[in-house]
Amino acid sequence: MLLDGISFKKTGYFSSLINDYLDENPLLQSFYNRHPNVVNFGEQLKEKTTHFNENSRKILVQTLFEQYKNVDASELTLNHIELLSSASTFTITTGHQLNLFTGPLYFLYKIVSAINLSKELKKQYPDYNFVPVYWMATEDHDFEEINFFNFKGKKIQWNTKSGGAVGELSTSGLDEVFNLFALELGPGVHAEYLKSLFKSAYLDHDNLAEATRYLANELFKDYGLVIIDANNRALKQQFIPYVKEELFKNTSFQQVLETSDKLSEVNTDYPIQVTPREINIFYIKEGLRERIVFEDGVFKVLNTSMSWTESEIEKELNECPERFSPNVITRPLYQEVILPNLAYIGGGGELAYWFQLKSYFNQVDVPFPILILRNSVLIETESQHKKLEKLNISNHDIFLNQSAFINKKVREISNIDIDFSSQKEALQKQFEDLYALAKQTDKSFLGAVKAQEVKQLKGLEKLEKRLLKAQKKTLADQVNRMTELQNELFPNQSLQERNTNFSQFYLEHGKQLIPELIKHLNPLTKEFSLLKL
């Protein structure tokens, strides 16, 4: 059940940029297209309709059916793919790396957000169709970011040699990981399903892209999720004009640098998530994904002997577009070129780099999608919820950093008043009188009065800290229970969703886990959700 919602700002885990976006700070308006609300999707529909043609839809549908030919897809998913042929069908997209066994929990929350938003838009705009899409980041090459997941405080890791795009990485050797994970899961109906799911995904498929497609489809096929691998020749042929723009005009470099400077001018605390290079395209072949650079009058692939003149690289691009891979700057544009997309759903870090891209999209005349912060969730088990109630810990308290959390709770449960605020106020009042007296007699005493005030206030603060420390010892049992409970809910003092794998909750709740998320999560909420399962 849904327990509560807390504003993202009050959790303390989201940047000022994201909080200002959610608050619709007018200073940010030039960095995005439309704010995420149901009404604005009507305008987004009109704009995208004029920028996405029938041929692009035909290529997209053909490619998806080809990618699904060996997938046990649901009738709803296949229907969604077919509907993409129609000019009245649009996508709601989220993307994620090919993390081993989905990685952290927010993999699920991203996709649930896309599914629920598609359903909500269908209610509001019944003449249109909306398809939830999961964009597999098959062209990434940061293997160390995806080769593990956390289960009950243990890191389940895949150690193997890697190179090139991770989607093409062989699943050979994952049987050892499976054996280790199976032991950790133990017996039980839900454990057996998780073992079967892992085995079918990773031991029965040859590469990481196929394994991840199988896994995401098994988890979400009942909801019509469409999974796309954009590392595809037919799709990349449509991106050729934009790659040429990147190679020969360095458009993204110029636009993103200018936008980043403007963001910093709005607020110096805003994170600059990505730094553009002059050319934001990689070259990929089997086992290789390296940056393309322009040096000494020729185009080169770093750490290789490959090079081309301008005419030669244009020929290479036209003949082999599949070898040109967008990086973090150009990938969002590629997505919007090949999909009839209305919105992108991502985490705070992802949206931060999207804000750097608006002027780039304008320059190349591609509609900028509506940006939506994915759902965030803290899941409490029945046992944890009862402990929170017994210890009188509020849903807001649990989000405090651990030191502030324990100090607050010790003050609340202590039989002694540890808050010296009234004494400090009385002391400051006394010194106001001393300041007035010093001004009337000898102003040279003002410095001495100030020094004495600072000394006595520090003395009170020191006494307060000593008393608090003593009470922590007296209440050690309760302090330990509160600390242990917060550590369970916030592993490594970080958000649960950024650490824990879904299997830990599936082990207890089984096939009800995802339906419960679908039932309770609102994709357009401005709050962090707390669920009891």
Side-chain angles (χ1 to χ4, degrees), residues 258-293:
E258 289 177 12
T259 303
S260 301
D261 289 342
K262 290 176 182 177
L263 265 174
S264 295
E265 288 172 8
V266 172
N267 189 330
T268 55
D269 289 335
Y270 286 170
I272 300 303
Q273 201 73 13
V274 291
T275 301
R277 301 182 184 276
E278 290 186 352
I279 297 175
N280 293 283
I281 298 290
F282 285 89
Y283 189 80
I284 59 173
K285 280 187 173 182
E286 185 176 352
L288 171 73
R289 187 175 189 249
E290 290 283 358
R291 284 197 301 118
I292 298 173
V293 296

Side-chain angles (χ1 to χ4, degrees), residues 7 12 54 74 110 139 162 191 220 235 264 307 329 336 361 420 423 474 482 497 501 509 528:
S7 75
E54 184 180 349
S74 67
K110 279 183 167 184
E139 294 180 66
S162 64
F220 292 103
L235 296 176
S264 295
S307 65
I329 297 285
E336 297 304 310
F361 273 67
F420 283 12
Q423 289 89 341
T474 301
M482 289 187 292
E497 64 181 30
N501 184 258
H509 302 287
F528 195 112

Side-chain angles (χ1 to χ4, degrees), residues 139-150:
E139 294 180 66
D140 280 3
H141 58 261
D142 295 321
F143 179 66
E144 289 73 20
E145 292 185 4
I146 66 169
N147 69 337
F148 69 94
F149 63 94
N150 296 309

Side-chain angles (χ1 to χ4, degrees), residues 185 324 374 492:
L185 284 169
F324 292 78
R374 64 167 172 79
N492 300 320

